[in-house]
Amino acid sequence: MECKKYWRLIQPKFIRGLQCKTSWRLLLLGCLVPVTLYTINCYISPTAEDGKTKWISHKRELSTNQTQYLQKGEPVNHIAFIKVPKAASTTVQNIFLRYGYENDLEFALPKLRPAGGDSLTARYFYAPLNKKFFDITCTHIRYDKEQFHRVLPDDTAYIGTVREPFSRFRSFVRFIRPKSVLDIPGNDPVLKYLSREKEFRTRTGEHIINCNGMAWYFGFPYELYLTRNHHLIDDYLLQLDKEFDIILVMEFLDESIVLMRRILNWDLRHVLYAKLRVNKLEDTRLVFGTTEETLYKRCGYLDYRLYDYFLNKLKEKIKRQLPDFNDEVAYFRKTRAKYDDFCLSSLSEDLKNAVMTFEGSPWNAPFVITSEDCKKLYIHDVEFLQKIQEKQFSSY
């Protein structure tokens, strides 16, 4: 009786007289319908494709580039980058140079050679200015765990790059032009050099860098170049895997950088890049055919082991990403192309006051770039390091 009296007071006339149990069901149904419709609208929406309606599932906050970017936690400001020649390393280095310059971070700056040094020690690098540690090191340095840990904080992110070994060897010889190869007389210096690999194998120094340059920069012990012990090589690769947060793969550079952005928790605008130090000149004496590649695979054994291992690790990381990873990679490529086109145009036409505005996305806040930003995008790495050194030592 009490239930019927209550519902007569709160219900419209057309449902009065219903039993109390039925009324509760109607009330519950009335609440669920709008909630269900809202949920469907949030996660499923139609899109036109080839004249047909195709339903796609997505989160509403990812459906528009106008979405507000929400940074998750603090950005990583301590970076150790292993700069391997001819593995997109100058391109990636520029990302760290721009980020550190913009955020007033302290770099490990080389003393003797402008591009780097043999080790991260006081012999080759200036000491930290006002504190015990550097924030960023990103020049040419051979990786040594103990040396790096002495001058970099415990929360440093360790990053490197690798490239398919034979293509890296080809680019290295064309760009660096090592005397041990170029000084060989005749029309086939590369073939002759690789054919004499056993003659050079017992030597250290230049031959190691020529054939296994990536392994050298990643600090492979010297005995592995001679003994090629499978178990010891596997052990060292596992050690690198534990010590490095990510090793980028040149053949999957965009995917690698998006993964790196997520690890560093940076705004996407900070990892946009332009391709730098790309070979443009050809030397007809330098031939790199199938015979040379077959010989090089014997010569560059460690580089192949290193590359194959971290190529597989990168692919595993990509598989474990959330569904929005491919969306971010596509958005990154589109934004980078716009950035690159604007900068090439503004610099070639000397448009000093040119600006371009980029909308926000789930991966970046809205931002504006100017011709001054473009200059930093294309500046030579040695010139940029000199610019950083002037700024870094100006207040010391």
Side-chain angles (χ1 to χ4, degrees):
M1 290 294 294
E2 293 298 326
C3 182
K4 291 181 179 180
K5 289 180 181 179
Y6 175 74
W7 282 105
R8 286 194 183 100
L9 293 174
I10 64 172
Q11 289 181 322
K13 290 182 180 180
F14 69 88
I15 61 172
R16 287 177 183 173
L18 291 176
Q19 294 181 357
C20 181
K21 186 175 180 180
T22 304
S23 300
W24 274 107
R25 289 176 178 172
L26 289 172
L27 180 63
L28 181 60
L29 181 62
C31 293
L32 288 176
V33 169
V35 171
T36 303
L37 291 175
Y38 175 78
T39 303
I40 292 172
N41 187 49
C42 284
Y43 287 91
I44 304 177
S45 62
T47 180
E49 185 175 317
D50 298 330
K52 300 178 181 179
T53 299
K54 178 183 177 183
W55 289 87
I56 59 172
S57 175
H58 63 89
K59 291 185 178 179
R60 173 163 290 195
E61 63 268 26
L62 297 182
S63 64
T64 171
N65 286 346
Q66 299 294 334
T67 304
Q68 183 180 3
Y69 166 61
L70 297 176
Q71 187 176 19
K72 300 176 182 178
E74 293 297 320
V76 176
N77 286 336
H78 300 137
I79 307 292
F81 175 59
I82 306 304
K83 188 174 188 286
V84 177
K86 309 315 298 175
S89 62
T90 301
T91 296
V92 178
Q93 179 198 38
N94 181 265
I95 292 173
F96 300 127
L97 294 177
R98 284 183 286 125
Y99 182 85
Y101 187 86
E102 179 180 328
N103 290 280
D104 295 320
L105 302 179
E106 184 173 345
F107 289 85
L109 295 172
K111 283 182 180 178
L112 306 178
R113 298 196 296 269
D118 292 342
S119 60
L120 189 55
T121 59
R123 179 181 178 184
Y124 296 99
F125 288 83
Y126 293 104
L129 296 178
N130 300 315
K131 50 189 176 182
K132 183 179 178 181
F133 299 117
F134 297 112
D135 295 316
I136 298 178
T137 175
C138 59
T139 57
H140 289 302
I141 312 167
R142 188 168 188 260
Y143 175 64
D144 182 297
K145 179 181 177 180
E146 293 183 2
Q147 291 176 359
F148 277 67
H149 279 247
R150 277 198 293 267
V151 294
L152 291 163
D154 292 338
D155 63 350
T156 297
Y158 284 78
I159 300 167
T161 59
V162 293
R163 177 181 180 179
E164 192 283 319
F166 186 64
S167 67
R168 196 204 76 88
F169 172 73
R170 180 175 60 238
S171 181
F172 177 83
V173 172
R174 286 175 173 171
F175 188 85
I176 304 298
R177 303 180 67 81
K179 291 183 178 181
S180 57
V181 178
L182 271 296
D183 285 355
I184 296 175
N187 295 324
D188 299 303
V190 176
L191 179 61
K192 292 175 182 177
Y193 177 83
L194 293 174
S195 299
R196 294 161 56 191
E197 187 264 338
K198 289 184 179 179
E199 176 185 334
F200 287 101
R201 189 186 300 175
T202 56
R203 303 181 186 181
T204 59
E206 188 176 343
H207 174 65
I208 288 177
I209 296 176
N210 286 352
C211 278
N212 291 287
M214 293 191 296
W216 189 87
Y217 274 97
F218 277 100
F220 273 68
Y222 284 107
E223 59 267 22
L224 295 183
Y225 296 91
L226 303 176
T227 63
R228 301 188 178 185
N229 184 298
H230 292 277
H231 297 296
L232 293 178
I233 292 170
D234 289 340
D235 289 344
Y236 191 72
L237 289 170
L238 289 172
Q239 177 184 327
L240 289 176
D241 193 13
K242 292 178 181 177
E243 294 170 1
F244 277 75
D245 293 84
I246 185 171
I247 292 181
L248 317 179
V249 178
M250 181 173 170
E251 287 74 19
F252 296 89
L253 187 58
D254 289 344
E255 292 87 348
S256 297
I257 288 179
V258 168
L259 283 172
M260 182 183 77
R261 185 204 73 79
R262 294 181 169 203
I263 291 170
L264 298 179
N265 195 29
W266 287 4
D267 188 298
L268 182 138
R269 76 179 180 88
H270 289 124
V271 297
L272 298 171
Y273 68 88
K275 293 182 179 180
L276 302 174
R277 305 293 288 274
V278 178
N279 288 340
K280 295 182 180 179
L281 299 177
E282 294 289 340
D283 187 331
T284 55
R285 292 181 67 238
L286 302 177
V287 178
F288 299 88
T290 54
T291 302
E292 286 80 4
E293 183 174 6
T294 300
L295 291 170
Y296 175 74
K297 285 182 178 179
R298 181 178 62 191
C299 174
Y301 176 78
L302 291 181
D303 270 12
Y304 275 99
R305 292 293 305 276
L306 175 69
Y307 176 78
D308 291 341
Y309 182 90
F310 284 106
L311 173 62
N312 289 330
K313 295 299 294 187
L314 180 78
K315 290 180 178 179
E316 290 175 8
K317 283 184 170 70
I318 291 174
K319 287 181 180 179
R320 293 197 301 267
Q321 297 304 301
L322 295 174
D324 71 330
F325 177 77
N326 291 330
D327 294 334
E328 182 176 351
V329 172
Y331 177 78
F332 173 78
R333 286 175 174 151
K334 180 180 177 181
T335 305
R336 195 188 77 78
K338 288 182 179 179
Y339 195 160
D340 203 27
D341 289 345
F342 168 79
C343 285
L344 289 173
S345 176
S346 63
L347 293 177
S348 62
E349 298 176 21
D350 195 22
L351 303 176
K352 296 181 180 179
N353 297 320
V355 297
M356 186 172 189
T357 301
F358 287 81
E359 298 175 345
S361 79
W363 309 288
N364 66 275
F367 65 98
V368 176
I369 59 170
T370 67
S371 56
E372 288 300 315
D373 296 315
C374 294
K375 291 178 182 178
K376 295 186 184 72
L377 188 67
Y378 292 98
I379 190 172
H380 191 282
D381 57 328
V382 173
E383 184 181 348
F384 205 158
L385 286 166
Q386 291 173 343
K387 184 182 181 73
I388 289 171
Q389 182 168 324
E390 291 172 3
K391 177 182 179 182
Q392 196 160 296
F393 288 98
S394 63
S395 58
Y396 182 67

